[in-house]
Amino acid sequence: MSLLEVRDLSIRYDEATVVDALSFAVDAGESVGLVGESGSGKSQTALAILRLLPRQARVGGSIRFDETELLSATEQTLNRLRAERIGIVFQDPLQALNPYLRIGRQLREILVRHELANGMEADARVIHMLGRVGLPDPHRQYHAYPHQLSGGMRQRVMLASALIAEPDLLIADEPTTALDVTVQAQILELLEEVRDETALLLITHDLAVVAGYCERMLVLKKGRLVDAGATTSLFASPGHAHTRVLLDASPRIDRVDIPPPATGVSILGIEAAEVSYAEAGKKRLQAVRDVSFSLRAGETVAVVGESGSGKSSLVRAMLGLVPMQAGRAVYAGAPLEGPVESRSLTQRRDLQLVFQDPIGALNPQMRVHDIVGESLLVQEPELSSVARTARVVEALEQVGLSDQYLGRYPHQLSGGQAQRVAIARALILGPKVLICDEAVAALDGSVRQQVLALLRKVQLETGLSILFITHDLAVVRAISHRVLVMYMGRMVEFAENAALFSAPRHPYTRALIDAVPVPDPVAPSKKAPLMGEVPSVLQPPPGCVFHPRCEYVEDVCRISLPTAQDVKGVRVVCHRAQELDL
């Protein structure tokens, strides 16, 4: 008898079926990956297991946990099973955790409510679990509120809350999707380490995560189970065409055709840029410190680093969306000065931005025709409405959309379609530079692959230069010509794609590369992930800002700030760059 048995599960909302005749089982101690693209029914299945679906959901079939039928169980039975027997880790811990309660009290309440511990014993168990999931100074974090913790620390708290009652089954619903690659590696290693004999149902769209942490995998497509089996077997020989599509769309940092070096002239340059923001009191948050780089015509430069590294601040200052306190930006030989609204129409036309969240970036009250064509009203007001519509249709066709989308609103588009509309809006003016700020981070693998192919196609056809901001190094490997690595507002390495991935010169770059999971269950295990949290930018460490997390640290690193140097054609900021073999 399996620990969890799902039989013919169906979930409907009015006329829409989101899960259709789904059957699977999870044995005690087993790790199973439930994979599929957005809308395939993964999260709906997880919520159905815990009976957390909204009232309008119509659920049929059977879900048995340790011989107890959950779909017909009383609230008393469900409350006993939740947390005590079945734990869950949600994708967004900031929404899942109560913002009004301290971390310790939230975990303590689980033990007290389920009569597992009380008083000092409950406090001791909470502090022990916070330490076990890797939170620094668990006694202090016990008294912290969720908003006082970083994203990685909040996800550790979610994992602690799911495991503190020592459940038999742990459901992890996209537990690392919103995290940096280094934090993702920490959380996944931690999940494997602390779950002991707890069974794991890992819900994700990332096949690389499944490859490294699941014994079996289940593949969903539009609510139906289309493939199932041992992870190694399905990766080697998929049983369904959709599984092959997902595997082909999963970027691999170890196998990719990298673009040849770009040879165009420099079209955009940043020189010694400094960006800061006012904080409470007289302190200023120094988001970017002394960063310089260039972008050539027809080239893609990727800017990578963990959250808070200054990637977006650097680009926003270059575009005039926030002030640049020092340094300068130069485009086509002319300075980019002042706020965006004070710049020339030519500069504003030639530099276009694509945001991370396409739905949030598109006006919900405007149709696609007006969204894409709006900039023409400013830049080319002499165009007739017929000519403007023709240009909009041409831009949509350039990104693979037909004129049938002209009358749609953003909410009537899928994530991939919305991002294509956002790219069409940016391309309609024929820009020379396109800035993509995490433009594919929220997209499924196959849609992400389509958007990246689209950008490469447009670049080859038009000579477009692209500045690509991301934390996904597998994507960087596939699309970039050169890579700028940032840490705590500073450049640490700037190199050609091939040189950076084959022989990184900075320990932080090496750690980022090692943290990227590979979608191959038989791939050799990588080094232990980079540990620790990024220090506060308000109180940066002395000397090299990376030294508290660096395994190669020496005394000089703790005292002296390193300067940039050229090592075998690579610009690197590290005291030991000449001697380290990474």
Side-chain angles (χ1 to χ4, degrees):
M1 179 68 71
S2 297
L3 178 67
L4 175 71
E5 286 188 282
V6 177
R7 291 287 176 265
D8 296 319
L9 176 66
S10 65
I11 304 173
R12 295 175 60 86
Y13 292 91
D14 296 327
E15 299 304 313
T17 300
V18 296
V19 175
D20 188 9
L22 175 62
S23 298
F24 67 91
V26 179
D27 293 335
E30 184 183 28
S31 56
V32 177
L34 185 61
V35 304
E37 297 180 315
S38 297
S40 61
K42 307 184 302 295
S43 294
Q44 291 289 305
T45 300
L47 294 175
I49 292 171
L50 287 166
R51 286 265 301 274
L52 295 176
L53 289 169
R55 291 182 179 179
Q56 62 266 36
R58 297 291 176 262
V59 184
S62 169
I63 301 176
R64 297 184 67 83
F65 177 78
D66 199 15
E67 301 188 34
T68 298
E69 176 56 56
L70 299 183
L71 294 185
S72 59
T74 64
E75 280 298 318
Q76 183 180 8
T77 300
L78 289 171
N79 287 334
R80 178 179 56 81
L81 292 175
R82 291 170 185 154
E84 188 175 342
R85 299 289 310 281
I86 306 174
I88 186 165
V89 178
F90 292 102
Q91 178 176 345
D92 186 353
L94 193 58
Q95 288 191 349
L97 296 170
N98 190 325
Y100 299 104
L101 296 180
R102 298 180 191 272
I103 294 301
R105 181 176 170 186
Q106 295 188 53
L107 269 67
R108 192 180 191 277
E109 187 173 345
I110 297 171
L111 296 175
V112 173
R113 180 164 293 187
H114 290 272
E115 299 180 351
L116 300 174
N118 249 312
M120 295 179 63
E121 181 190 355
D123 292 336
R125 284 184 61 174
V126 169
I127 291 170
H128 172 74
M129 181 55 73
L130 292 177
R132 194 176 177 203
V133 297
L135 278 177
D137 193 357
H139 287 83
R140 182 169 63 86
Q141 307 302 350
Y142 181 99
H143 299 286
Y145 289 97
H147 72 271
Q148 295 175 310
L149 305 180
S150 69
M153 293 171 74
R154 284 194 292 266
Q155 197 61 293
R156 290 171 188 270
V157 171
M158 277 299 304
L159 186 56
S161 70
L163 292 174
I164 194 167
E166 300 178 358
D168 299 299
L169 172 66
L170 176 64
I171 301 172
D173 187 3
E174 298 278 11
T176 62
T177 297
L179 303 178
D180 291 315
V181 63
T182 51
V183 181
Q184 172 183 267
Q186 293 174 20
I187 295 297
L188 291 172
E189 288 290 324
L190 182 63
L191 190 61
E192 187 67 15
E193 176 187 331
V194 302
R195 72 179 182 91
D196 296 326
E197 296 302 314
T198 300
L200 172 66
L201 180 61
L202 179 61
I203 297 169
T204 182
H205 67 273
D206 190 339
L207 288 175
V209 171
V210 173
Y213 298 92
C214 296
E215 299 157 315
R216 284 196 302 120
M217 60 183 281
L218 314 168
V219 182
L220 293 185
K221 180 183 180 183
K222 296 181 179 179
R224 296 188 67 89
L225 182 67
V226 297
D227 215 348
T231 302
T232 52
S233 299
L234 288 189
F235 269 76
S237 180
H240 192 276
H242 185 61
T243 308
R244 171 52 62 193
V245 169
L246 295 179
L247 286 170
D248 290 344
S250 190
R252 295 191 62 144
I253 199 170
D254 58 336
R255 295 180 199 168
V256 68
D257 295 325
I258 64 173
T263 57
V265 298
S266 178
I267 189 174
L268 178 68
I270 301 291
E271 302 172 8
E274 303 265 347
V275 182
S276 63
Y277 303 99
E279 287 290 309
K282 296 182 179 180
K283 273 198 168 185
R284 292 191 69 84
L285 187 154
Q286 195 74 31
V288 178
R289 295 172 180 265
D290 191 24
V291 174
S292 302
F293 73 96
S294 63
L295 176 67
R296 301 166 182 152
E299 179 186 41
T300 297
V301 168
V303 185
V304 305
E306 293 168 291
S307 298
S309 62
K311 307 184 300 292
S312 295
S313 291
L314 174 65
V315 168
R316 289 169 189 271
M318 179 192 73
L319 291 172
L321 299 176
V322 298
M324 187 181 293
Q325 274 69 38
R328 68 174 190 153
V330 178
Y331 167 69
L336 293 169
E337 297 177 327
V340 63
E341 58 267 20
S342 70
R343 296 182 178 178
S344 70
L345 285 179
T346 300
Q347 290 180 337
R348 289 156 65 182
R349 179 197 65 211
D350 286 355
L351 282 78
Q352 292 290 315
L353 176 64
V354 179
F355 293 96
Q356 175 177 353
D357 179 8
I359 299 297
L362 303 179
N363 190 325
Q365 297 181 316
M366 293 174 67
R367 298 181 187 271
V368 167
H369 174 280
D370 300 320
I371 290 171
V372 176
E374 185 179 22
S375 58
L376 293 175
L377 295 172
V378 176
Q379 292 281 350
E380 301 179 35
E382 71 282 359
L383 285 179
S384 67
S385 60
V386 173
R388 190 163 55 250
T389 298
R391 288 279 295 277
V392 171
V393 171
E394 182 183 351
L396 289 176
E397 289 177 345
Q398 191 177 17
V399 299
L401 296 177
S402 69
D403 58 4
Q404 71 178 25
Y405 291 90
L406 289 173
R408 297 191 185 184
Y409 289 97
H411 73 271
Q412 295 173 309
L413 305 172
S414 69
Q417 291 167 350
Q419 195 62 292
R420 286 170 184 261
V421 169
I423 294 172
R425 177 177 63 179
L427 294 178
I428 194 170
L429 295 174
K432 301 296 188 293
V433 178
L434 185 67
I435 297 100
C436 299
D437 190 357
E438 297 280 11
V440 297
L443 304 180
D444 288 319
S446 59
V447 179
R448 177 179 57 212
Q449 187 182 47
Q450 294 167 12
V451 171
L452 292 176
L454 166 66
L455 292 174
R456 284 192 291 264
K457 175 175 175 287
V458 172
Q459 186 175 60
L460 289 172
E461 292 174 349
T462 66
L464 180 70
S465 299
I466 301 175
L467 196 58
F468 201 89
I469 303 167
T470 184
H471 65 269
D472 189 336
L473 268 77
V475 169
V476 169
R477 179 75 159 140
I479 196 173
S480 68
H481 297 90
R482 289 188 294 167
V483 185
L484 172 70
V485 184
M486 294 184 65
Y487 183 77
M488 287 192 67
R490 296 185 180 275
M491 180 194 79
V492 297
E493 190 163 356
F494 188 35
E496 297 283 348
N497 182 321
L500 184 129
F501 284 95
S502 62
R505 308 305 308 181
H506 197 284
Y508 178 60
T509 308
R510 177 80 270 171
L512 288 178
I513 294 171
D514 285 343
V516 179
V518 175
D520 185 350
V522 297
S525 299
K526 292 193 173 186
K527 292 171 57 179
L530 176 67
M531 300 307 292
E533 297 283 330
V534 179
S536 169
V537 182
L538 284 170
Q539 294 180 311
C544 173
V545 291
F546 185 61
H547 87 254
R549 304 172 75 192
C550 183
E551 62 178 295
Y552 304 100
V553 62
E554 291 187 343
D555 288 342
V556 65
C557 308
R558 299 185 178 94
I559 300 168
S560 173
L561 186 68
T563 56
Q565 54 184 308
D566 287 310
V567 181
K568 296 182 179 180
V570 174
R571 195 74 171 158
V572 60
V573 184
C574 176
H575 288 296
R576 305 190 62 195
Q578 297 279 3
E579 60 183 281
L580 290 177
D581 182 10
L582 303 174

